[in-house]
Amino acid sequence: MTGRSPLSSRLLCGAAGVAGLFCVMELAGRSGLIDPIVFPLASTVVSRAAALAADGEFLADVASTLGAWAAGLLIAVLVAVPTGFLLGTLPRVEAALRPVLEFLRPIPSVALIPLALLLFSDRFDMKVAVIVYAAWWPVLINTMYGLKDVDPLAKETLRSFGFGRMAVLWRVSLPSTAPFIATGVRLAAAIALILAISAELLAGGASGIGTFIIEAGGSPDALEYIIAATIWAGIIGVVSNSLFTLAERRLFHWHLARTGGTR
Amino acid sequence: MLEISNLDHTYGSGPGAHHALGGIDLRVTQGELVCIVGPSGCGKSTLLRSIAGLLKPTGGTITLNGTPVDRTPDDLAVVFQDYSRSLFPWMSVGDNVALPLRRKGMDRGQRRAAAEEALEQVGLAGASGKYPWQLSGGMQQRVSIARALAYRPSLLLMDEPFGSVDAQTREDLEDLTLRVRNHHNMTILLITHDIDESVYVGDRVVVLAKAPATVVGDLRVDLPGPRDQITTRENPAFVHLRAEVGRLVRGMRSHPAAAS
Amino acid sequence: MRFLRVAGRLWLVPVVLVAWEVATRTAEDIFFPPPTVIASRMHELWFSGPAQHLWLTEGALENIPTSLGRIFSGWLLAGVIGIALGIMLGRSERFSQFVDPIIQFGRAIPPPALLPLFLALFAIGTQMQVATIVFGIIWPILLNASDGARHVDRLHLETASAFGFSRGQRLMRVILPSAMPKIFAGLRLSLSLALILMVISELVGSTNGIGFQLLDAQRSYDYPGVWGSIVLLGVLGYVLNTAFLAAERRILSWHRTANQTT
């Protein structure tokens, strides 16, 4: 009774779950339940994905997608955070702009890709532009939301010690809003990846994971390539999400402790 | 009707274990209202949860009407202290009261009628269309009592039922309990940490010692009925009993050696 | 009074529209048509039909219901599957341990990346679009449902046991309602995601729908048509979100008020 059973380890169970899924897919293919021509074998896909990791061309595509993703995300944060602070500290401006923002926000960002294709001659710029547009919303909204959450008592404490508006902004508002901004950036990162791949699927021509997937469509083992590349897209998503979550926990453990958040 | 013998429960194992119940013997006969008092943290709730079948004790036996309790018995109802969490906020008051009756095989109309009747008994006629959170705390606790009454249990368990309401409401609810109990001739086991309350409401007061809990006193309350908040409480017999129970509860505190 | 208050809130909207009109008219850039031109193009494309069709044109009647149908069928399917799986995950710690990595991976895949796969598996058409939507939007529903089901108040569950609720009652009357506020949060997020995925899936492989019309306008260099389609999609997004919020307010009234009073 004192030894830890293997069932108590999340890691082991998770690995078993993944292995189980793999085996089921493989068996379904080998037994003919799913025709391997319609859907490739799990083992084929995994070995193809492994091979892609050493494929220079594919790596260049990944680099291109990640480049646009990082650039777009960075610009979005640089624009959205100051805007959020401006709107959050000037309630009259916010009240005036709110309806305009509320009309713009529901526009599905991918609908802008065809327009962006017309406006930008350079594919990379086009990608970055739509990413910036899509990624700035979660950062902006979370910044404004976080500012509303700043403890007025903390601000008044500092003001009572004779600090000015800017000092209060810098020492209280910014640090207490930072966790919210971080959450916004994490959400924006996932959206940015969606937009990057969408833009690549539609624009073609240039390089990127989306382009790779579209171009693979022409080859005889198209599906194998498509699924392998999709797996890599998923891995990139997982890694980016865990890095952001980890950074959030590290930087803002005080915030989690205060709100009792566990996730 | 309820027999508890040598009930023992330990939470967890190893050095962090908590020995909550240390061999409790208790026998409750049909129609009795037994109050269980004890210092807070003495395992009163553990005892109640064991009787309700919500918790599997590590030792001893509980039998209700001759059948051993290993899961929640069919003819048992519970009134919890925390009414706001025990009533379902997404259902109307009437639905809250009527829902458990499905188990009794009643049809829709019968369930509704039974719920109305129970609500009327607790003084909430016409409230069945409201939601629990639209009512005051005392009224919400009346709803949970109505829910238990409508269920017509042979044993009603009440876990600190008046612990979360103000003093005036508390007295009203104590009298309500006495009234419905006379009306239905139900067996009630009421857990409280309030000594006055135990003597005022109970036919019998059972005193538990600090954890691991054991029965250290079992007093019969012979007070003239009907009881009344003012006159009963100034009755010399009441004052005497209250002191007696108080001594038993406190006596254990001053002799920690006896408890361990 | 009410009118004045609304006017006070919305004054910037007409100002922006007029400024946009003036700026585009002076710039005369074909990429940026003035709002009036966009509006008349929208009227022409969708709202100049016969009165018995509620003034909707053939094009509107063919494309708008198609797109909405895809959104709603995808959303409904994802809702049913997501809630069922989510509650199972939330109530069974063991099950969730085994499938957690698969779920984390699934939700990290950018859904548009799956378009070519579904295109190959289902061919062009509604099936492929619905598959993309379901796969893309199921995650918020699933994760919220499992979170909600995991954190059901213990006393609610004990009350259910004490009164001998059956398994079905426990699920339908206690666990599901408890998880509902969370589930609704997931459903709302999913609805806006469904719109995005509907558009991208129609842009990539479709022969009808609003996304297809947008692509068509882009291919024929019909700039007001492109802008008009974007505006139409924005209006659609706004209407969907507002309608959802109104429905949520009605259905979850107990939750809002219960949390205010306690």
Side-chain angles (χ1 to χ4, degrees), chain A residues 151-163 168 172:
Chain A
D151 190 351
L153 194 67
K155 285 200 276 192
E156 277 163 19
T157 310
L158 219 55
R159 219 172 275 153
S160 71
F161 284 111
F163 285 89
V168 171
V172 178

Side-chain angles (χ1 to χ4, degrees), chain A residues 85-109:
Chain A
F85 265 86
L86 207 65
L87 294 181
T89 44
L90 303 172
R92 300 187 123 207
V93 178
E94 197 247 17
L97 274 177
R98 178 168 281 272
V100 177
L101 292 177
E102 272 176 19
F103 281 120
L104 284 178
R105 190 150 85 112
I107 296 177
S109 40

Side-chain angles (χ1 to χ4, degrees), chain C residues 185-208:
Chain C
L187 282 174
R188 183 150 85 95
L189 196 60
S190 295
L191 188 58
S192 56
L193 271 176
L195 181 66
I196 292 181
L197 291 177
M198 179 274 283
V199 174
I200 183 77
S201 69
E202 286 183 352
L203 286 173
V204 169
S206 183
T207 52
N208 53 10

Side-chain angles (χ1 to χ4, degrees), chain B residues 1-3 26-30 32 34 187-189 204:
Chain B
M1 65 155 333
L2 175 71
E3 277 182 54
L26 185 66
R27 184 182 288 256
V28 178
T29 53
Q30 177 66 40
E32 252 186 329
V34 178
T187 313
I188 301 180
L189 198 66
R204 237 173 97 196

Side-chain angles (χ1 to χ4, degrees), chain B residues 49 72 85 90 102-103, chain C residues 153 156 158 169 173 178:
Chain B
R49 287 158 51 87
T72 312
R85 286 168 54 217
W90 47 85
R102 284 173 171 237
R103 199 188 188 188
Chain C
D153 195 316
H156 283 335
E158 285 191 344
Q169 279 180 332
R173 299 306 192 108
S178 290

Side-chain angles (χ1 to χ4, degrees), chain C residues 216-229:
Chain C
D216 196 42
Q218 186 233 7
R219 283 190 182 141
S220 47
Y221 300 97
D222 168 14
Y223 299 107
V226 171
W227 282 90
S229 303

Side-chain angles (χ1 to χ4, degrees), chain A residues 5-257:
Chain A
S5 98
L7 284 174
S8 62
S9 157
R10 288 199 78 84
L11 200 68
L12 273 177
C13 283
V18 173
L21 183 68
F22 177 87
C23 292
V24 168
M25 299 285 284
E26 183 74 15
L27 278 176
R30 291 210 183 267
S31 65
L33 200 65
I34 300 174
D35 189 346
I37 297 172
V38 177
F39 199 93
L41 287 174
S43 53
T44 320
V45 170
V46 170
S47 63
R48 177 58 62 199
L52 278 184
D55 182 333
E57 215 176 304
F58 180 69
L59 290 180
D61 282 325
V62 171
S64 163
T65 299
L66 288 181
W69 172 77
L73 194 58
L74 187 69
I75 298 173
V77 171
L78 289 180
V79 178
V81 173
T83 317
F85 265 86
L86 207 65
L87 294 181
T89 44
L90 303 172
R92 300 187 123 207
V93 178
E94 197 247 17
L97 274 177
R98 178 168 281 272
V100 177
L101 292 177
E102 272 176 19
F103 281 120
L104 284 178
R105 190 150 85 112
I107 296 177
S109 40
V110 286
L112 296 174
I113 297 174
L115 182 66
L117 273 171
L118 294 171
L119 295 179
F120 293 87
S121 48
D122 184 290
R123 297 286 198 238
F124 188 81
D125 290 352
M126 184 278 289
K127 249 197 278 183
V128 173
V130 291
I131 291 173
V132 169
Y133 180 82
W136 99 300
W137 288 107
V139 183
L140 177 79
I141 305 280
N142 274 279
T143 306
M144 287 167 64
Y145 181 78
L147 270 178
K148 288 217 174 75
D149 198 58
V150 175
D151 190 351
L153 194 67
K155 285 200 276 192
E156 277 163 19
T157 310
L158 219 55
R159 219 172 275 153
S160 71
F161 284 111
F163 285 89
R165 273 177 79 91
M166 281 317 283
V168 171
L169 194 71
W170 182 249
R171 294 192 184 273
V172 178
S173 301
L174 190 63
S176 46
T177 311
F180 292 90
I181 299 176
T183 308
V185 174
R186 173 160 53 84
L187 296 175
I191 291 174
L193 197 59
I194 293 179
L195 263 287
I197 289 179
S198 301
E200 289 162 1
L201 287 177
L202 289 176
S207 59
I209 301 175
T211 318
F212 179 91
I213 293 177
I214 282 281
E215 279 172 359
S219 83
D221 348 297
L223 268 185
E224 203 180 305
Y225 279 97
I226 290 174
I227 300 171
T230 307
I231 289 179
W232 279 111
I235 291 173
I236 292 171
V238 170
V239 169
S240 115
N241 196 41
S242 351
L243 283 181
F244 277 110
T245 312
L246 198 73
E248 269 176 68
R249 281 212 191 125
R250 276 266 157 118
L251 290 169
F252 307 120
H253 51 88
W254 51 269
H255 177 74
L256 291 175

